[in-house]
Amino acid sequence: VVTRLVVAAVIVALVVWFAVANSQRVEVDYLVFSRDSRLVYVIIGAAVLGAVADRLIQRRRRSRKGG
């Protein structure tokens, strides 16, 4: 459990460092519109969406094994 927390903290620190180091504005193309955003928000948003997707996939796998 402690190892997982340390690894998670390191990953979060790396994502935050990478995001802060890339703070310029970029154009982001969404499905139906485009918008100028800071790259830091795009990076953090992508990391959060990836983590949420990972949790949802793990939850689905656990429910299939248990059921």
Side-chain angles (χ1 to χ4, degrees):
V1 176
V2 174
T3 305
R4 282 186 179 181
L5 290 176
V6 171
V7 170
V10 168
I11 290 171
V12 167
L14 286 172
V15 168
V16 169
W17 170 77
F18 185 73
V20 171
N22 292 289
S23 61
Q24 66 269 18
R25 288 196 166 272
V26 294
E27 183 176 352
V28 181
D29 292 319
Y30 296 97
L31 292 175
V32 292
F33 62 94
S34 296
R35 180 175 178 198
D36 281 346
S37 296
R38 292 205 178 266
L39 189 54
V40 62
Y41 300 135
V42 175
I43 293 169
I44 291 174
V48 168
L49 287 174
V52 168
D54 176 62
R55 290 290 135 196
L56 291 174
I57 290 169
Q58 285 184 4
R59 178 180 288 173
R60 185 174 176 135
R61 285 183 182 165
R62 284 187 200 141
S63 68
R64 285 186 176 184
K65 284 183 181 179

